[in-house]
Amino acid sequence: DEVSSLFDHNKNKRAYLNATFDTEHFKIRSYLNYWDDNIHIESMDYFGARHIQDDEHRTRAYGGELQYSIELFDWNLLTAGGSISEEDFRVKGKDYDASTVLSAVTEWDADRRTVAAFIEDETDVGPLTLILGGRWDDPDDFDAQTSFKASLLWALGDSTNIRASYGESFSAPSLNDLYWPSDPMGKGNPDLQPETGKTYEVGIEQSFGEEVLVRATVFEQVVEDMIVWVPGAMGASGNQWQPSNLNTAEIRGVEIEGRVEFARDLNFILAYTYLDGEQKNMELVNATTNELIERTRTLAYLPEHKLDLGLQYRNMFRIKGLGLNIDVQYVSETFQYYQNWGAYPVVTMDTKELADYWTADLKLTKECEYVDIFFAVDNVFDEEYEIQFGSYDDVGYPMPGRSITGGASIKF
């Protein structure tokens, strides 16, 4: 069955169209996105039968948004608007079993229309800037949801800013999440519920002259019914993945960022993020009685530490338009959880770890009057790392090794 993968192939089409009309008070935006994926897979099942599978997955998304802004006073800006969007997901599939010379054909489609309205009011009085807003979303396959947000900026002199914000979020499951057709690797979940969340954030920003800027932020995010694709029962091709609603996901963290301008065209950036997250989920512990127990675990795929280093050098060697960017990132280990059916009907949960890693990227650019040229090296040191577990044998998907790209854009 490993050799059969040599016969697999995909054909993917992508098309995008965006149009925007913008005036002093009005802004109108429309878009059309089209994806068409044709997938051919030849495989062997657990019993040795050869299957030839051809699937077409087509997704269309289009819509428009109208926004109106007006200054009610010199210190107040009001913005309101609305949008409407359509999504359509269509599947045509055929699974040919060479041993029985029979074909299983599937064909269905799903669609969603979402109507939304929003309003935001910005008040700027002296050292204080207050923003209040709300949004109403009404997808035709879920209940309508209203979300609110508020933020406050307090400028203490010319060099210190204090920020505080609160926001609510709503995200309906995608049509892929709900209706992805069942295959050996995964399937959708029509019982998914929308994600809802709340975010709290407080931060301070301090500048020391024009050369140094330091920013620190403390935040907490709580997401109910968080949607995550997770591995399920073991099948002939490994775990069959399916999206699920984690009952609750909580993330608390601290972000610290510093920017130093060593010279007029030379900047150094250092950013550190500490994350502490947990998930509370009802887990199956007995397949016969369907007994469920709530478990609290470290949030899957959430690194505890992230460190970013960046160097920006403009007009390098005093050559106008010549720039160099160097970015280095460290990400600590992450975890994922897998159901273990080895002691059936008792079901336990295994924990697997993805190792920490360092990466470095380099990009050289040259801006000319009519042409911009770039040369880039991603993953300079050819680091081997993974950020996502796969399905077959639950090994990690390897991220790209060292890659070298170059290009140019013409402007007129």
Side-chain angles (χ1 to χ4, degrees), residues 176-192:
N176 285 357
D177 289 335
L178 292 167
Y179 305 117
W180 187 267
S182 179
D183 60 37
M185 302 302 179
K187 63 179 179 179
N189 183 356
D191 297 323
L192 288 174

Side-chain angles (χ1 to χ4, degrees), residues 258-292:
R259 296 173 179 264
V260 181
E261 187 173 340
F262 292 109
R264 182 177 179 181
D265 295 321
L266 183 61
N267 293 310
F268 176 74
I269 302 171
L270 170 64
Y272 168 74
T273 303
Y274 168 78
L275 298 170
D276 177 25
E278 64 180 26
Q279 61 187 47
K280 297 179 182 179
N281 196 24
M282 299 299 294
E283 296 181 1
L284 179 68
V285 295
N286 191 298
T288 302
T289 63
N290 291 323
E291 181 185 358
L292 299 173

Side-chain angles (χ1 to χ4, degrees), residues 279-339:
Q279 61 187 47
K280 297 179 182 179
N281 196 24
M282 299 299 294
E283 296 181 1
L284 179 68
V285 295
N286 191 298
T288 302
T289 63
N290 291 323
E291 181 185 358
L292 299 173
I293 294 181
E294 183 178 83
R295 304 285 193 191
T296 299
R297 303 181 184 276
T298 300
L299 187 60
Y301 291 124
L302 183 75
E304 186 176 9
H305 305 283
K306 291 179 64 178
L307 181 66
D308 291 276
L309 306 174
L311 181 68
Q312 299 175 346
Y313 192 2
R314 299 182 299 272
N315 301 318
M316 190 168 57
F317 307 132
R318 297 185 179 180
I319 301 175
K320 185 177 179 180
L322 182 63
L324 174 67
N325 281 47
I326 299 176
D327 296 296
V328 178
Q329 183 181 68
Y330 168 77
V331 179
S332 63
E333 66 275 3
T334 60
F335 304 93
Q336 177 59 292
Y337 308 102
Y338 290 78
Q339 289 179 331

Side-chain angles (χ1 to χ4, degrees), residues 65-97:
E65 179 180 288
L66 172 64
Q67 178 179 301
Y68 177 73
S69 300
I70 185 172
E71 287 189 0
L72 300 179
F73 307 97
D74 292 340
W75 44 268
N76 186 267
L77 176 66
L78 181 67
T79 302
S83 66
I84 184 170
S85 62
E86 294 270 358
E87 298 175 78
D88 178 78
F89 179 49
R90 188 182 70 181
V91 173
K92 290 183 177 181
K94 183 176 72 172
D95 186 352
Y96 173 73
D97 187 337

Side-chain angles (χ1 to χ4, degrees), residues 116-172:
F118 56 89
I119 187 169
E120 180 179 280
D121 184 77
E122 179 177 341
T123 301
D124 190 351
V125 181
L128 298 176
T129 301
L130 175 65
I131 298 177
L132 300 174
R135 181 182 177 90
W136 174 77
D137 290 278
D138 186 20
D140 60 7
D141 52 349
F142 290 99
D143 294 334
Q145 177 77 22
T146 303
S147 306
F148 299 97
K149 72 172 184 178
S151 65
L152 177 67
L153 170 64
W154 185 10
L156 300 177
D158 296 330
S159 59
T160 306
N161 292 325
I162 296 178
R163 303 175 184 270
S165 66
Y166 166 78
E168 298 176 348
S169 62
F170 166 81
S171 178

